[in-house]
Amino acid sequence: MSELPASPHTFTITFRSIVKVMPVNRNILGHFIEHLGMCIENGIWMYEPTTKELLAEPPLERVRRDLFDAINKLGVPILRWPGGTFSDTYHWKDGVGPRERRPVRKNAAWGGIVNKMLGLKLGPVERNHFGTMEFLALCEKLGAEPYINVNYGTGTAEESAAWVEHVKVGIGKTPHTGKLWGIGNEIYSFSEKGYERSPVSYARGYLLHAKCMKAVDPTAKLVAVGWSGHSKWNRILLDIIKDHVDYLSIHLYFNDMSLLKFLLSTKPLPSTESFYYAELNSAKGFDRIIENTEADIESVYGKDNPGKCLIAFDEWNVWPRWGSIFKADAPHYRLVDGIWAALVLNVFIRHARSVKIANFAQLVNALGMIITYDDRIVLTPQYIVFKMYGDNLLEHFLPIDVDCKETITSIRISKVFASETMPIIDAVATTSADRSMISVFLVNKHFSEPRTVRLARDGGLPLDIIGNVSHVVMTSNDPFAFNSNDNPESITLVTTTIDPRSLDAGLVIPPHTVVALLFKQNGGLR
Ligand code: AHR
């Protein structure tokens, strides 16, 4: 490839050799559904009459077909349920047996909240029509691995073990038999039912659950409640449970973090250039939290211990205002939130060694990447990014260098989301197991200007692209554009193919844009 004159706005990506194969687990593209707001109630499960077509087959007969199809297109690898906070209040036997006989209960985690806000007397109830059988059937139809969170907060170890038994013996005849179980959720938080002040106390309770559950299914994999950024909790906990845990759960949401503002405000996140950069650079906060958690795990297991615990980043998203949990269209998720999701996925891909599961919070309506309306569904930019990554993510991490010296310094939001100086171009690459396919995920974070990216054919691993390159783009003129019921296709994915020779001049990436490139390498990359 001939050298281009150096331009301050053209950056080169060089592919490095793979010294150690690092599989990228597709489970980082996982999802989460909770009995919260309209995620399951009249989202996943239509209690109310609807004119929309429903899936015909039992036990999924109250699932909207348009919603199912949209979820299915994502190729969901793993689905977490029933919470979240709800799981520490949920007694699974409420959700089995003939639906008309299942009890109606107040939603003990989230009930009463909507009524306070609306000034009504009655809180949302939990009618329990979407229970274990329905969840497993949904997973099976989606080809997703079920990930069930048991009730640590208000349940017992025996109840959890009986649930494992129920799934294993009663229903688990499919290849997707439930194997992955979380024990508790954010149990360190005073707002969680069954709140544990001390990691020692949680560790004791965890072990009771773990031993009873493993007695039923010795092949079960278990997830314990980690606390992002709280090494003391993580280390004390892991030290006690280290031989009985497979994953440490970590949660992190981005918002502007003054607790009072978060709880009370109904305003959207600021649509300003400085906040835009703060949001995008907050991906660095995720990176740091993962590094801290890796250090916590290593401090207990040592370096490169093959039996060590891995990370399940099983809740993450932008959570603009506390009230936005009740439906993600107030305010809408914007293009910037989709670009942010791509940057966080890039962080997970770079940490493929330790992050083996991640669950976006959440799939439908409650902070949802899909919003349901009576007559249609709307796909948010986060959905679009998941579609892009799902279609293009390959099996192994491919290390690259990006010679991008142009950086942007963002304002401080909080301790976790500090002021950061980050390159304007963010990129990661993956390759197929036989090295014949390569994908590159690129973000131009610039608020208003395009930037150019070249793929080096020399200087690292030599590239010899055969055929055309698939070029998938998510962009808009406005970084704060969003899809809505009135304008559902303001942001979409645009897929074209490009001649690899045209890449020699560099690929121009518009401002605030995510791009995926997918191509075939002659003879495989070595
Ligand atoms: O995703 C919404 C809630 O956020 C979950 O229930 C809880 O785990 C977290 O605080």
Side-chain angles (χ1 to χ4, degrees):
M1 179 179 189
S2 58
E3 279 303 305
L4 287 175
S7 151
H9 296 150
T10 298
F11 308 107
T12 302
I13 291 183
T14 311
F15 296 85
R16 274 193 268 144
S17 343
I18 297 178
V19 178
K20 197 169 169 198
V21 172
M22 187 59 62
V24 179
N25 197 319
R26 282 193 84 77
N27 282 348
I28 61 167
L29 298 175
H31 293 276
F32 170 41
I33 53 172
E34 177 168 6
H35 295 259
L36 190 187
M38 286 181 65
C39 178
I40 289 176
E41 167 127 357
N42 293 323
I44 293 276
W45 193 261
M46 287 308 297
Y47 284 95
E48 306 310 328
T50 174
T51 53
K52 297 303 289 181
E53 186 190 344
L54 298 170
L55 295 184
E57 70 258 50
L60 297 176
E61 59 273 45
R62 299 299 301 173
V63 175
R64 277 169 66 156
R65 182 169 294 285
D66 59 348
L67 178 63
F68 175 81
D69 289 346
I71 298 173
N72 201 26
K73 277 188 194 144
L74 290 173
V76 176
I78 186 168
L79 187 59
R80 180 174 182 243
W81 169 83
T85 297
F86 179 79
S87 63
D88 279 316
T89 66
Y90 180 60
H91 298 284
W92 67 271
K93 285 187 182 161
D94 287 350
V96 297
R99 287 194 199 111
E100 63 287 359
R101 283 198 238 138
R102 296 184 194 175
V104 176
R105 305 213 188 273
K106 180 177 168 188
N107 181 323
W110 299 100
I113 290 167
V114 170
N115 22 328
K116 258 188 227 157
M117 289 177 72
L118 299 179
L120 301 174
K121 282 201 175 128
L122 290 171
V125 289
E126 179 47 60
R127 289 175 261 186
N128 284 305
H129 287 194
F130 187 86
T132 305
M133 172 174 69
E134 290 77 11
F135 171 67
L136 292 178
L138 181 63
C139 287
E140 195 186 348
K141 199 167 163 62
L142 291 168
E145 180 183 349
Y147 169 14
I148 298 180
N149 224 93
V150 302
N151 181 349
Y152 175 90
T154 59
T156 63
E158 291 71 30
E159 190 179 350
S160 297
W163 202 356
V164 176
E165 179 80 21
H166 177 75
V167 168
K168 187 179 150 199
V169 178
I171 309 174
K173 298 186 178 67
T174 73
H176 292 293
T177 302
K179 287 284 173 224
L180 186 63
W181 300 85
I183 301 180
N185 172 75
E186 295 185 3
I187 207 71
Y188 48 77
S189 164
F190 64 88
S191 56
E192 194 78 12
K193 294 274 189 314
Y195 157 57
E196 290 280 19
R197 223 191 160 83
S198 120
V200 176
S201 168
Y202 170 59
R204 278 196 211 110
Y206 172 93
L207 286 177
L208 281 180
H209 281 258
K211 286 177 183 165
C212 287
M213 292 163 76
K214 284 275 204 173
V216 176
D217 183 358
T219 65
K221 300 279 178 214
L222 303 180
V223 186
V225 177
W227 191 354
S228 56
H230 290 256
S231 287
K232 198 170 161 200
W233 171 282
N234 294 340
R235 292 176 189 213
I236 293 174
L237 170 67
L238 286 179
D239 205 43
I240 302 171
I241 67 169
K242 60 174 173 283
D243 297 327
H244 305 272
V245 63
D246 300 284
Y247 299 93
L248 192 66
S249 152
I250 292 293
H251 296 174
L252 191 60
Y253 292 89
F254 174 76
N255 55 48
D256 48 357
M257 281 306 235
S258 118
L259 186 60
L260 202 62
K261 202 166 153 195
F262 175 66
L263 289 175
L264 299 179
S265 173
T266 51
K267 285 195 193 139
L269 292 178
S271 294
T272 59
E273 184 172 342
S274 71
F275 198 83
Y276 163 93
Y277 281 124
E279 178 168 341
L280 296 193
N281 279 2
S282 77
K284 182 68 193 168
F286 282 71
D287 196 33
R288 215 177 291 112
I289 287 291
I290 294 170
E291 277 170 11
N292 291 346
T293 312
E294 286 170 345
D296 294 342
I297 293 172
E298 274 177 24
S299 79
V300 174
Y301 293 82
K303 229 181 160 56
D304 294 328
N305 177 342
K308 76 171 182 234
C309 168
L310 298 158
I311 297 174
F313 213 118
D314 51 12
E315 286 186 32
W316 66 280
N317 194 0
V318 172
W319 186 345
R321 299 289 174 243
W322 186 79
S324 31
I325 196 111
F326 297 107
K327 209 161 192 248
D329 64 351
H332 292 272
Y333 281 123
R334 307 147 307 156
L335 179 63
V336 58
D337 305 316
I339 302 170
W340 172 89
L343 292 167
V344 176
L345 287 175
N346 288 358
V347 169
F348 294 157
I349 292 170
R350 284 189 201 101
H351 284 281
R353 190 172 61 90
S354 57
V355 180
K356 298 292 179 186
I357 298 173
N359 302 80
F360 186 84
Q362 304 192 2
L363 185 56
V364 181
N365 289 333
L367 309 179
M369 66 163 62
I370 306 173
I371 312 296
T372 62
Y373 294 92
D374 289 345
D375 52 344
R376 65 154 62 95
I377 54 165
V378 171
L379 308 176
T380 64
Q382 287 100 318
Y383 175 97
I384 293 167
V385 161
F386 266 72
K387 176 81 180 113
M388 180 190 250
Y389 277 65
D391 289 349
N392 294 287
L393 189 74
L394 301 170
E395 287 94 337
H396 293 161
F397 178 69
L398 177 58
I400 55 174
D401 293 311
V402 190
D403 73 343
C404 180
K405 301 273 181 305
E406 183 184 359
T407 56
I408 193 82
T409 299
S410 54
I411 54 168
R412 180 185 192 275
I413 301 287
S414 63
K415 195 168 153 220
V416 178
F417 302 123
S419 165
E420 307 284 358
T421 300
M422 301 291 291
I424 207 80
I425 296 290
D426 190 87
V428 294
T430 63
T431 178
S432 55
D434 67 359
R435 307 276 181 273
S436 67
M437 298 294 297
I438 296 171
S439 63
V440 186
F441 300 96
L442 289 155
V443 178
N444 175 13
K445 298 187 213 169
H446 203 290
F447 188 73
S448 51
E449 293 173 19
R451 290 293 178 260
T452 303
V453 172
R454 297 166 65 232
L455 303 185
R457 298 209 177 200
D458 41 24
L461 286 176
L463 273 193
D464 183 7
I465 301 172
I466 43 172
N468 280 340
V469 176
S470 154
H471 174 243
V472 190
V473 181
M474 180 182 78
T475 193
S476 159
N477 291 335
D478 176 4
F480 304 113
F482 55 84
N483 289 342
S484 66
N485 198 7
D486 298 333
N487 193 0
E489 302 215 336
S490 155
I491 305 163
T492 54
L493 269 191
V494 177
T495 303
T496 53
T497 53
I498 46 181
D499 185 323
R501 281 167 302 189
S502 70
L503 285 176
D504 291 353
L507 179 73
V508 178
I509 309 180
H512 49 260
T513 295
V514 186
V515 172
L517 300 176
L518 180 69
F519 51 86
K520 210 167 164 46
Q521 161 81 358
N522 197 7
L525 195 64
R526 297 289 152 200

